[in-house]
Amino acid sequence: MLTEQHRRQYAEEGYTVPDFSISQMTVRSLRAALCRVLRSNPTAPPDSDLVNAHLRKGQRGAKIDGDPAFLELGRDPRLTALLAALHTPAAGELSSPWASGIVLWGVHVFCKQPGQPGADVGAGRRVPFHVDGTYWPIE
């Protein structure tokens, strides 16, 4: 799944592009889940940051009504194995994400709607380049 070149690039540059993709069926499922989340949260701004979109409203303090499809994506064993391989290169493919120390901390859906018809290109909310570790307690 990850080559030594992937690991080296991640260690040196902070990113890599692995040979990983999700199926069209999963994409359709996630689009449908996003539509359900937006319908269930009509007061959410059109360009929302849907924090904890994997939880139902009130569950563990969730402020929005999420959808379990996002939790399933976070639990995808191929994805957790890929993350584990980045952080424990000697382990390679792992059968359990717990063995690697990879834990799903949250699911944050960035819903960036396109601009309105007739509006300037990019009329949606702008988000400047940033590093998440500044905003979240990540080390």
Side-chain angles (χ1 to χ4, degrees), residues 1-3 6-7 10 16-21 76-89 91-97 100 102:
M1 202 184 283
L2 286 179
T3 65
H6 286 121
R7 290 184 184 92
Y10 183 75
T16 191
V17 181
D19 298 324
F20 177 85
S21 64
D76 184 318
R78 298 171 308 133
L79 186 57
T80 57
L82 184 132
L83 293 169
L86 275 176
H87 295 285
T88 56
E93 298 289 329
L94 298 173
S95 60
S96 168
S100 68
I102 301 297

Side-chain angles (χ1 to χ4, degrees), residues 59-72:
Q59 185 182 18
R60 296 190 178 155
K63 294 183 178 14
I64 66 160
D65 193 21
D67 193 280
F70 294 109
L71 178 59
E72 291 308 309

Side-chain angles (χ1 to χ4, degrees), residues 49 51-52 105 107-108 110 130-139:
D49 293 347
V51 179
N52 291 325
W105 177 53
V107 174
H108 194 141
F110 296 96
H130 65 282
V131 176
D132 285 336
T134 304
Y135 300 99
W136 298 101
I138 299 172
E139 294 181 8

